[in-house]
Amino acid sequence: MRRRCDSTAGPHPLSLPRRPARTPEARGGRAWSANALNPKIAVFCTGLLPTPAPPRLPTAWAVALLVLLPTLLTLAWLGGYVLLLSKAVQVLHRPRVHRALGRTTGVVLIGFGLAVAGTAG
């Protein structure tokens, strides 16, 4: 039998305190800073980008082009991702959807674990 949560009993012991909602600009800035400070990107740009640089262009222009293209693609991808999730957040916070996502990801993770366990032995 399920017990109903009584509002006079205080907050649920596992609940996190509510934070104020972030603006789309703040979310975008956080995503940009996480991407810009990623050390893998710096290693990739300095190690791999000069290799396929077009030989007809001066080196500085070729490398700038090869850096700008992925940067613009990443900016478009993250911007679209932020916009999509900012619209979907109300749907994703519905209890029914939240439970379904939790169950689905649980089943997928258990399946992955069983697959790894089956191949490891």
Side-chain angles (χ1 to χ4, degrees), residues 45-56:
C45 288
T46 57
L48 296 177
L49 278 181
T51 306
R56 287 185 227 85

Side-chain angles (χ1 to χ4, degrees), residues 7-28:
S7 63
T8 60
H12 189 275
L14 298 178
S15 66
L16 296 174
R18 282 266 196 197
R19 291 187 302 183
R22 291 193 177 129
T23 64
E25 293 83 13
R27 288 189 293 245

Side-chain angles (χ1 to χ4, degrees), residues 17-64:
R18 282 266 196 197
R19 291 187 302 183
R22 291 193 177 129
T23 64
E25 293 83 13
R27 288 189 293 245
R30 186 173 182 186
W32 182 86
S33 64
N35 215 26
L37 298 174
N38 187 348
K40 292 179 283 188
I41 299 297
V43 170
F44 175 77
C45 288
T46 57
L48 296 177
L49 278 181
T51 306
R56 287 185 227 85
L57 289 176
T59 305
W61 285 103
V63 172

